[in-house]
Amino acid sequence: QLQASGGGLVQAGGSLRLSCAASGLTFSNYATGWFRQAPGKDREFVAAISWEGSDIWYADSVKGRFTISRRNARNTVYLQMNILKPEDTAVYYCAAGEVTSRNTYDYDYWGQGTKVTVSS
């Protein structure tokens, strides 16, 4: 029900925009979040946005570089990633839940993940 896309290989300092398209659920009713998981590490919070877009949170590690946004009319949430660093390399997952949260357990629906690789 969530399809993430937009990952790829980029050099350090570059940009990527991830998209997450929802189907089969009333997307505008849900907060959405982005998480990432690097090899051998736990899944970690990246950014979250409330259902109407007024409440936005970022992990400290991406603040000022990443921007989360949503277009409910298109059932899509975006993650614009600028000034990418090698440590941003991970599989990125989008998720939808009833509350805006930094915690994975607060999200009920998950996309399949899209891989981002940042070369130095």
Side-chain angles (χ1 to χ4, degrees):
Q1 291 176 315
L2 297 178
Q3 180 76 33
S5 62
L9 173 64
V10 63
Q11 289 188 330
S15 298
L16 282 175
R17 188 175 82 154
L18 305 185
S19 299
C20 178
S23 61
L25 70 163
T26 307
F27 185 66
S28 58
N29 287 348
Y30 292 90
T32 55
W34 286 97
F35 292 79
R36 66 187 181 187
Q37 188 166 18
K41 295 189 176 181
D42 293 335
R43 192 168 297 189
E44 66 172 4
F45 170 76
V46 176
I49 186 169
S50 58
W51 67 271
E52 84 283 21
S54 63
D55 195 14
I56 293 176
W57 299 350
Y58 295 101
D60 288 343
S61 59
V62 307
K63 201 172 294 183
R65 300 187 297 121
F66 291 12
T67 302
I68 189 172
S69 61
R70 65 189 298 160
R71 294 191 69 176
N72 287 339
R74 295 188 176 184
N75 286 347
T76 304
V77 63
Y78 304 97
L79 185 68
Q80 177 67 42
M81 305 187 296
N82 299 328
I83 319 175
L84 282 161
K85 304 176 180 180
E87 51 263 44
D88 294 318
T89 295
V91 177
Y92 284 71
Y93 299 88
C94 59
E98 294 186 3
V99 296
T100 311
S101 173
R102 300 173 185 269
N103 301 310
T104 57
Y105 54 75
D106 285 323
Y107 291 88
D108 302 308
Y109 303 97
W110 289 84
Q112 85 291 356
T114 185
K115 187 174 182 180
V116 172
T117 303
V118 184
S119 62
S120 57

